[in-house]
Amino acid sequence: MLTTDILIEWLVKIGVVFFILMTAIAYVVLLERRLLGFIQMRLGPNRVGPFGLLQPLADGLKFLFKEDIVPLEADKALYVLAPMIALVPALMTISVIPFGDKIVILGREIALHITSVNVGLLVVFALTSLGVYGIALAGWSSNSKYSLMGGLRSSAQLISYELALSLSVVGVIIFSGSLDLVEVVKQQNSFWLGFIPKWNIFTQPIGFLIFLIAAIAETNRVPFDLPEAETELVAGFHTEYSSMKFAMFFIAEYANMVTASSMATLLFLGGWYGPFVDKFPLLGPIYFSLKILFFLFLYIWLRGTLPRFRYDQLMRFGWKFLIPVALANVVLVAGLALLIY
Amino acid sequence: MSELAKYNEVAEEFATEELVLNMGPQHPSTHGVLRVVLKLDGEIVTDLDCDIGYLHRGVEKICEHRTYAMIAPYFDRTDYVAAVSNGLCYVETVEKAMGIEVPPRAQYLRVALTELSRISSHLLWLGTHAMDVGAMTIFLWAFREREEILKIFENFFGARLTCHAFRIGGMSYDAYEGFEQEVKQFCDRFPTRLAEMEQMLNSNRIWLSRTVGVGIISAEDAIDLGLTGACLRGSGIEWDIRKAHPYECYSELEFDIPYGENGDTYDRYLVRMEEMRQARRIVIQTIDKLPTGAVTAARVPKVLKPPAGDYYHSNESPKGELGIYLVSDGSTQPVRLRIRPPCFVNLQALKKMCVGRLYADVVAVIGTLDIVLGEVDR
């Protein structure tokens, strides 16, 4: 039954998670800029506040005060709608992501996720693939050739890599026997020989790598950042966007990065599990954040290291390498599951 | 309705046309104000045309109305990335016309500075080329090294970009105190820094797949198009003015000319990387052998009047063969001064290298041609 206190609990959770997510996104941007600065032997933004910690605020203000430009020949309705289509699903995915076990606050047992759906995994996939409409429509409605090419590239890329992404997860589903993300994590909560955690990364490393590569491609990040390849397409699908509309694409991209990192953590790195988590459930979210941080660091590290793929190479890599390997991996993991269970 | 008519109807409905894309003159990776009109079939380039002239300043025409001494600074502003070697070519041309012998110390200093500018120009190429292909870190690393050279230049010339210290007959002034130590310090550090950058690229699968086999130009085509510099040597032809027609003191120095085999972007990359090493080798030699004495020739007339006639002189600028054709009527101003800019000639190869390839390759090829629009347009 939907009672007032449950409703309040939901609202509070949504508020808190939304706040944390937005703050995290803002600070991932700062982290990226500082880390890239470190990799590239320069300082990065360090002037606004101590260590540049207030930089995200300054950035946000700047976005707000920029002129909002709509090109004359653009399809105005879609042009305005596109960033929203990109942003909303990107933020919605977080609602099914569990970041800890149940904890007790004020004598009330609270599960550390906004909502638990028994097909959570599918919800995440469905929402992330919705985001591409935002990018494709942005490219099309801008009525600019660079944007159009960016949008087209993005659609092709997303379709290609989504297959590999879904296939790489099949192994995890075979092991957990459930599409519920909480179940997927709980299945990883035990040990081999008493000390090796039963994380999926150890049983299916190939699946993990495929997931990681496909997830980076899905989020349009280096070395798969073709839709916005700045040296080829100027800025790709968001060439014509400015002000908060641009910021919405930006937030969506980083929200997708956070989502992809949390999915990798949940599916392969044992979610919130870690030492002493059974005794102190509050440690769960902390472990979870640390694991996410590791993936985010990886994203940034790659950006500082790798050049960009070419369009045909990207397609060849996706269709001729990742998907066959992912298929073989499904068979392999199925065999492994028969052996173990 | 017949099958053919049906087919035609459908074909008409889904008719496709080429996308004409205006790349530039304001585009992040056309290295200035180059405009490339591309015809694209999807991602494949079916045709392209270069539109140049956005940076045309009429340097050649201006030169006809200046005295010989006044012309010199204009050459710092043609190829502004390698101002030193451009300035050198001009003063050498006038010296050749007037038969002025430059004292050895000035020659060695000139070579040292020219080779440093070759390194700085190649570093800028490396950074922007890598950036075009998507490796942004190399860009900043290369600029860090370039900064060291620019500091030396700033001390020597008083300028970082439009360096100017060569005067007809020698140098404007001698090296500043501590010049040799600073250059040596740079030369000591440079190989490890260069190795770091190579480590990021040479073993990188993505970098290889973006450069190997991209923008191939055969040796015959390279000669036909008149390519020079690394673009020519990358195709396997050993042609370097420093060896072929040694000027200044190059005949007294030991260095090798690297050359490639396949004439693709990767080979040109390797050639330029090795050229930087060789340039460093030359710099070290010049500093070690640096003679003492005057830096200006004893008999340089106050008013420069090359005897009537026409003269051609060329030297190996970082981009290729920079030539100057000078027609003099014996007065204080040239009748005609024609620059043979290596970038302008090399840019011709763009179409040959890109048609039939992917759009992303155009960006990589513009990078590998190493053009400076200041010199293309003059």
Side-chain angles (χ1 to χ4, degrees):
Chain A
M1 272 304 290
L2 191 65
T3 53
T4 328
D5 51 341
I6 290 179
L7 201 65
I8 289 171
E9 188 191 316
W10 274 357
L11 286 176
V12 168
K13 268 202 237 173
I14 290 171
V16 168
V17 170
F18 183 73
F19 175 76
I20 291 176
L21 181 68
M22 292 308 270
T23 318
I25 289 166
Y27 279 92
V28 167
V29 178
L30 180 67
L31 178 77
E32 168 156 24
R33 293 171 69 182
R34 290 307 302 267
L35 257 178
L36 275 181
F38 175 73
I39 292 171
Q40 296 165 350
M41 310 273 176
R42 56 190 175 87
L43 291 171
N46 65 349
R47 294 288 134 154
V48 192
F51 310 109
L53 280 174
L54 297 178
Q55 184 70 36
L57 277 177
D59 286 346
L61 276 176
K62 186 184 150 195
F63 278 133
L64 277 173
F65 287 119
K66 282 275 168 183
E67 187 187 351
D68 189 12
I69 299 164
V70 180
L72 209 60
E73 297 287 309
D75 187 325
K76 204 175 173 209
L78 285 178
Y79 183 82
V80 175
L81 204 62
M84 301 178 196
I85 298 177
L87 179 63
V88 171
L91 292 179
M92 269 164 73
T93 36
I94 207 77
S95 62
V96 291
I97 286 174
F99 37 89
D101 214 347
K102 292 181 173 63
I103 57 165
V104 179
I105 296 175
L106 305 173
R108 192 186 163 84
E109 196 174 67
I110 293 172
L112 285 178
H113 47 72
I114 293 180
T115 179
S116 176
V117 192
N118 58 3
V119 287
L121 201 56
L122 293 184
V123 170
V124 172
F125 280 148
L127 287 173
T128 47
S129 34
L130 265 184
V132 71
Y133 286 103
I135 293 175
L137 285 176
W140 186 80
S141 66
S142 299
N143 207 356
S144 145
K145 287 167 184 172
Y146 291 119
S147 305
L148 179 68
M149 285 181 72
L152 287 177
R153 279 182 176 191
S154 179
S155 324
Q157 181 174 329
L158 270 273
I159 291 167
S160 310
Y161 280 77
E162 201 134 276
L163 283 174
L165 189 76
S166 319
L167 283 172
S168 68
V169 176
V170 171
V172 176
I173 301 169
I174 291 175
F175 267 49
S176 66
S178 166
L179 287 167
D180 189 340
L181 286 168
V182 179
E183 293 300 314
V184 171
V185 175
K186 286 200 167 151
Q187 173 259 326
Q188 301 177 60
N189 179 31
S190 52
F191 295 91
W192 285 302
L193 308 173
F195 65 97
I196 307 173
K198 242 184 186 174
W199 294 352
N200 285 330
I201 184 176
F202 298 116
T203 47
Q204 31 194 319
I206 304 171
F208 172 68
L209 286 177
I210 295 169
F211 180 87
L212 204 60
I213 294 169
I216 293 168
E218 284 274 293
T219 42
N220 295 335
R221 293 282 299 183
V222 174
F224 305 101
D225 61 334
L226 282 93
E228 48 177 291
E230 66 187 51
T231 50
E232 296 157 26
L233 300 182
V234 188
F237 62 90
H238 59 62
T239 306
E240 305 293 336
Y241 281 88
S242 65
S243 185
M244 271 322 274
K245 292 203 188 80
F246 169 73
M248 279 158 94
F249 280 121
F250 208 64
I251 295 168
E253 181 182 327
Y254 281 83
N256 281 331
M257 272 168 70
V258 173
T259 314
S261 304
S262 12
M263 287 304 286
T265 309
L266 291 170
L267 298 174
F268 293 97
L269 281 190
W272 59 83
Y273 284 115
F276 310 113
V277 112
D278 297 335
K279 280 178 206 143
F280 308 101
L282 262 178
L283 277 174
I286 294 172
Y287 287 132
F288 187 67
S289 317
L290 285 178
K291 288 171 187 173
I292 288 184
L293 211 57
F294 165 75
F295 285 108
L296 291 172
F297 172 72
L298 198 71
Y299 267 112
I300 297 163
W301 191 11
L302 285 176
R303 183 168 173 207
T305 316
L306 293 178
R308 185 184 307 115
F309 270 112
R310 204 171 57 198
Y311 180 71
D312 60 327
Q313 291 162 354
L314 177 95
M315 286 296 145
R316 203 179 309 137
F317 184 70
W319 288 98
K320 292 196 173 165
F321 179 77
L322 272 191
I323 292 176
V325 173
L327 278 170
N329 182 55
V330 171
V331 178
L332 195 80
V333 172
L336 198 69
L338 275 181
L339 276 177
I340 295 181
Y341 299 106
Chain B
M1 203 190 287
S2 73
E3 283 297 309
L4 185 69
K6 238 186 224 171
Y7 171 80
N8 281 341
E9 193 176 285
V10 173
E12 205 167 294
E13 196 177 333
F14 292 98
T16 55
E17 51 185 287
E18 282 174 335
L19 180 77
V20 178
L21 187 69
N22 251 315
M23 191 175 165
Q26 272 112 30
H27 186 278
S29 51
T30 51
H31 291 211
V33 284
L34 172 68
R35 171 169 167 237
V36 187
V37 184
L38 292 159
K39 286 200 179 112
L40 294 175
D41 175 14
E43 289 266 337
I44 294 168
V45 179
T46 52
D47 194 16
L48 72 82
D49 220 353
C50 285
D51 186 8
I52 60 166
Y54 289 92
L55 204 58
H56 180 63
R57 292 153 295 177
V59 171
E60 290 174 4
K61 193 70 190 165
I62 293 173
C63 291
E64 290 171 18
H65 304 277
R66 299 282 183 277
T67 63
Y68 285 96
M70 285 160 79
I71 291 169
Y74 284 101
F75 280 83
D76 307 339
R77 286 151 180 85
T78 51
D79 179 357
Y80 38 77
V81 174
V84 179
S85 60
N86 273 37
L88 180 69
C89 191
Y90 171 71
V91 293
E92 276 173 353
T93 312
V94 180
E95 280 160 11
K96 197 171 169 180
M98 298 183 66
I100 297 170
E101 192 66 32
V102 178
R105 183 172 172 85
Q107 287 194 15
Y108 273 81
L109 278 174
R110 279 178 174 188
V111 169
L113 292 163
T114 312
E115 291 303 317
L116 280 176
S117 104
R118 187 184 309 280
I119 297 177
S120 95
S121 164
H122 277 6
L123 281 171
L124 188 116
W125 154 80
L126 176 67
T128 49
H129 182 37
M131 181 93 153
D132 289 345
V133 177
M136 72 185 292
T137 298
I138 301 291
F139 176 74
L140 288 139
W141 285 8
F143 265 62
R144 176 189 54 171
E145 295 320 301
R146 184 169 172 266
E147 191 63 31
E148 309 261 305
I149 298 177
L150 292 190
K151 270 181 199 153
I152 296 174
F153 282 178
E154 197 179 358
N155 280 340
F156 204 114
F157 306 108
R160 290 157 53 90
L161 197 68
T162 50
C163 316
H164 187 73
F166 302 154
R167 182 166 294 179
I168 296 160
M171 306 273 295
S172 307
Y173 27 77
D174 207 335
Y176 62 93
E177 211 172 302
F179 168 69
E180 290 153 51
Q181 286 82 348
E182 272 180 36
V183 172
K184 272 197 169 154
Q185 250 174 23
F186 168 76
C187 289
D188 288 343
R189 261 198 310 262
F190 187 58
T192 47
R193 298 277 174 86
L194 196 63
E196 262 176 24
M197 289 184 241
E198 280 192 321
Q199 200 184 358
M200 285 278 279
L201 297 173
N202 284 9
S203 56
N204 190 322
R205 290 276 295 273
I206 303 178
W207 173 259
L208 292 180
S209 63
R210 284 300 303 276
T211 54
V212 175
V214 170
I216 297 176
I217 192 118
S218 67
E220 293 83 53
D221 284 343
I223 292 174
D224 287 351
L225 287 166
L227 302 191
T228 45
C231 297
L232 181 70
R233 291 192 285 274
S235 299
I237 295 163
E238 255 187 294
W239 173 257
D240 190 310
I241 316 278
R242 290 174 295 172
K243 284 275 192 207
H245 305 292
Y247 48 97
E248 302 292 335
C249 60
Y250 276 110
S251 50
E252 298 159 30
L253 302 168
E254 270 179 39
F255 60 99
D256 302 318
I257 305 299
Y259 61 102
E261 283 171 14
N262 310 318
D264 60 1
T265 303
Y266 186 64
D267 275 18
R268 285 187 284 274
Y269 154 77
L270 290 181
V271 166
R272 289 204 179 94
M273 293 307 259
E274 183 56 30
E275 265 182 27
M276 279 196 257
R277 292 219 166 77
Q278 294 298 333
R280 171 187 166 270
R281 212 173 131 197
I282 297 172
V283 172
I284 291 175
Q285 287 178 51
T286 52
I287 295 297
D288 287 343
K289 289 186 183 171
L290 195 63
T292 50
V295 290
T296 327
R299 281 199 211 92
V300 183
K302 284 257 156 49
V303 180
L304 299 162
K305 284 183 181 172
D310 38 355
Y311 310 94
Y312 179 76
H313 177 75
S314 64
N315 74 5
E316 187 72 24
S317 93
K319 312 286 190 301
E321 177 178 346
L322 172 70
I324 292 175
Y325 183 68
L326 175 70
V327 182
S328 167
D329 59 353
S331 69
T332 53
Q333 294 172 346
V335 173
R336 175 82 171 96
L337 193 142
R338 153 91 187 150
I339 306 167
R340 182 218 181 270
C343 299
F344 173 69
V345 182
N346 289 352
L347 185 59
Q348 290 186 90
L350 184 67
K351 188 170 179 175
K352 193 144 207 128
M353 288 175 173
C354 292
V355 169
R357 307 219 35 122
L358 279 103
Y359 173 51
D361 288 341
V362 178
V363 172
V365 169
I366 292 176
T368 190
L369 287 174
D370 192 15
I371 50 165
V372 168
L373 268 296
E375 194 176 61
V376 174
D377 295 344
R378 280 156 290 148

